[in-house]
Amino acid sequence: MAASRHALGRVSPESSVLFLCDMQEKFRHVAYFSQIVSVAARMLRVARLLGVPALLTEQYPQGLGPTVPELGAQGLQALSKTCFSMVPALQQELDSRPQLKSVLLCGLETQACIMQTALDLLDRGLQVHVVVDACSSRSQVDRLVALARMRQSGVFLSTSEGLILQLVRDAVNPHFKEIQKIIKEPAPDSGLLGFFQDQSPLFR
């Protein structure tokens, strides 16, 4: 029997949205912060080329500061929140997109805002694709366990390049050459390799 379309986790620009979660000044001390932001910026550049909407939040910006400029999110309206999940702040945006099937999720922190956002989105019947090389935590144990916990709940764990190529789908895509330049350089190392090797039973 063929797998259901939902179970396959396919993504397309027409039915996807990019969530950018809380990449703010006061989080610069988070492990691999600059690498995470670099990869999220790459996702945003591709989203803009392919017409994938991008939504941006900031956690209590009065205390944690604005979104860092290197994300390249100028022009996006950041929605302020205090709830860890992004979903309450973005409820109106989600309700206005009946064609939405998949959310691509980047940001901080994996065990808090990313995981709670992912679970809320699953509750709404949406596919969630966590961009693993665009998410981190202060504690790498928290990061590891949160990724495993989300996977148990039905979240798809994907790399930025894997998702980008799914969105492009075909080398005849008119934006392929521009996107090829974006992904030509490998994503920076964000400490993930050990998570997926034999010493990590959470991913077996």
Side-chain angles (χ1 to χ4, degrees):
M1 180 184 295
S4 73
R5 290 183 179 179
H6 191 87
L8 287 173
R10 294 191 186 279
V11 296
S12 67
E14 300 77 19
S15 59
S16 298
V17 68
L18 176 65
F19 274 22
L20 301 166
C21 183
D22 307 350
M23 285 170 274
Q24 296 162 250
E25 289 289 347
K26 289 293 180 72
F27 288 128
R28 286 190 181 274
H29 64 286
V30 169
Y32 302 105
F33 180 85
S34 62
Q35 294 93 326
I36 294 306
V37 172
S38 172
V39 174
R42 177 154 78 160
M43 292 295 299
L44 178 56
R45 288 168 66 194
V46 170
R48 283 172 163 159
L49 285 170
L50 296 177
V52 175
L55 301 175
L56 174 71
T57 60
E58 294 174 345
Q59 179 75 12
Y60 186 62
Q62 302 94 317
L64 296 173
T67 298
V68 296
E70 57 264 39
L71 180 60
Q74 297 83 355
L76 292 181
Q77 180 183 358
L79 293 177
S80 175
K81 66 185 182 68
T82 56
C83 183
F84 295 129
S85 172
M86 298 172 75
V87 170
L90 299 176
Q91 187 82 45
Q92 189 172 347
E93 288 280 356
L94 291 169
D95 290 344
S96 70
R97 301 177 188 277
Q99 79 284 6
L100 180 62
K101 295 178 182 176
S102 306
V103 176
L104 319 179
L105 183 53
C106 305
L108 304 169
E109 287 186 68
T110 315
Q111 82 287 358
C113 299
I114 296 297
M115 185 167 74
Q116 292 193 34
T117 299
L119 296 178
D120 280 353
L121 291 168
L122 289 173
D123 262 346
R124 292 177 65 101
L126 294 168
Q127 288 183 18
V128 182
H129 299 261
V130 168
V131 188
V132 293
D133 48 343
C135 296
S136 192
S137 303
R138 287 164 297 141
S139 160
Q140 295 305 284
V141 172
D142 281 334
R143 184 187 186 194
L144 167 62
V145 175
L147 290 172
R149 167 72 174 82
M150 288 188 282
R151 185 168 176 252
Q152 288 172 330
S153 296
V155 169
F156 295 100
L157 303 183
S158 303
T159 63
S160 56
E161 184 165 334
L163 280 172
I164 287 167
L165 292 174
Q166 277 195 73
L167 289 168
V168 173
R169 191 173 297 171
D170 194 313
V172 300
N173 186 299
H175 300 291
F176 178 68
K177 288 198 178 297
E178 283 181 87
I179 291 170
Q180 190 177 37
K181 292 175 186 175
I182 294 172
I183 64 174
K184 186 176 180 180
E185 291 298 320
D189 175 38
S190 56
L192 284 169
L193 188 58
F195 288 1
F196 297 95
Q197 292 177 332
D198 289 342
Q199 67 264 34
S200 297
L202 292 171
F203 287 101
R204 288 178 186 165

